Amino acid sequence: GAVVSQHPSWVICKSGTSVKIECRSLDFQATTMFWYRQFPKQSLMLMATSNEGSKATYEQGVEKDKFLINHASLTLSTLTVTSAHPEDSSFYICSASRTSGSQTQYFGPGTRLLVL
Amino acid sequence: GQQVMQIPQYQHVQEGEDFTTYCNSSTTLSNIQWYKQRPGGHPVFLIQLVKSGEVKKQKRLTFQFGEAKKNSSLHITATQTTDVGTYFCAGNSGYALNFGKGTSLLVTP
């Protein structure tokens, strides 16, 4: 159990377009979902935490109007990178937790975004 | 805020040698978790330590949680090429996980 999927696994887009990434918990209900960004050979940088039905909590320095997060159900969260620019190119990984905040997180396979 | 420091950043060993990565938190943790990320992959949960002084083993991997619940270590005995990857610790403050920068392990045959 505890499988998390992410779609798409990779995406290439033109500068100025918006990209939506979906994160789904396939076999459990995720009270909390997390969105991370990882640059090559670097650690995971938490972008935001979202609880089902409420607004996401963004980490300092992360623009909430740039990275729109929707956690509409206990099994789905989406991250939309709006008006993407080349510097937004990165590996975006979601994770899901059965309970709020601090319990074990199950990671999705990640989405590689390349903005041209 | 809470900071989690992890050392070393990189480690290159010959197959069969041991490997250890260390994690230190600036504050007392409710628990600590360890994850492994293979090259090109995503982090995979390995284990969670909760109790002060706790030691857990998974085959050749030994995980330890310090008495003060502020530090932890992961030790791999007799490394194999399949151990290659980045090992992250994540300190749990009770609200959120704070990941260390990870230790990248390279094992050469």
Side-chain angles (χ1 to χ4, degrees):
Chain A
V3 178
V4 176
S5 71
Q6 240 179 284
H7 178 80
S9 56
W10 58 270
V11 58
I12 301 174
C13 69
K14 292 182 179 180
S15 185
T17 60
S18 293
V19 175
K20 179 185 281 189
I21 303 170
E22 292 186 350
C23 178
R24 293 181 186 273
S25 56
L26 298 184
D27 53 1
F28 68 101
Q29 292 188 325
T31 303
T32 308
M33 286 186 167
F34 305 83
W35 287 95
Y36 294 87
R37 184 173 180 176
Q38 187 178 38
F39 291 105
K41 299 184 179 181
Q42 305 239 339
S43 187
L44 299 159
M45 300 298 296
L46 179 64
M47 298 174 66
T49 303
S50 72
N51 291 293
E52 184 264 338
S54 60
K55 290 184 179 180
T57 301
Y58 288 82
E59 295 299 300
Q60 191 172 6
V62 178
E63 300 175 55
K64 61 181 180 181
D65 294 331
K66 170 78 173 175
F67 300 99
L68 301 178
I69 292 173
N70 187 321
H71 192 165
S73 76
L74 285 172
T75 59
L76 173 64
S77 176
T78 61
L79 166 68
T80 301
V81 183
T82 62
S83 187
H85 289 98
E87 57 265 30
D88 297 324
S89 300
S90 190
F91 188 42
Y92 292 88
I93 312 176
C94 72
S95 69
S97 174
R98 287 190 172 92
T99 58
S100 62
S102 55
Q103 300 306 311
T104 301
Q105 295 183 25
Y106 301 96
F107 285 84
T111 297
R112 297 193 183 278
L113 170 64
L114 177 60
V115 184
L116 301 176
Chain B
Q2 181 202 62
Q3 289 189 342
V4 175
M5 307 298 291
Q6 193 173 352
I7 58 169
Q9 189 175 0
Y10 302 101
Q11 186 79 58
H12 181 186
V13 300
Q14 293 287 324
E15 190 172 25
E17 293 181 338
D18 293 355
F19 160 77
T20 305
T21 173
Y22 301 90
C23 196
N24 288 286
S25 170
S26 57
T27 59
T28 302
L29 302 169
S30 57
N31 64 61
I32 195 159
Q33 299 173 19
W34 286 90
Y35 294 79
K36 177 183 179 181
Q37 185 175 22
R38 293 181 184 275
H42 62 280
V44 174
F45 174 77
L46 293 177
I47 209 162
Q48 176 174 284
L49 304 172
V50 179
K51 299 178 183 177
S52 169
E54 187 171 15
V55 178
K56 286 188 176 180
K57 291 190 176 184
Q58 289 180 351
K59 298 183 180 178
R60 294 178 294 103
L61 277 61
T62 302
F63 303 84
Q64 193 165 7
F65 201 11
E67 293 291 338
K69 299 183 72 172
K70 296 178 74 173
N71 57 70
S72 180
S73 65
L74 159 57
H75 180 81
I76 302 178
T77 303
T79 54
Q80 300 175 359
T81 54
T82 53
D83 295 325
V84 166
T86 301
Y87 294 85
F88 292 98
C89 63
N92 187 334
S93 63
Y95 171 70
L97 286 180
N98 289 290
F99 282 84
K101 291 189 181 297
T103 297
S104 294
L105 173 64
L106 178 61
V107 181
T108 51

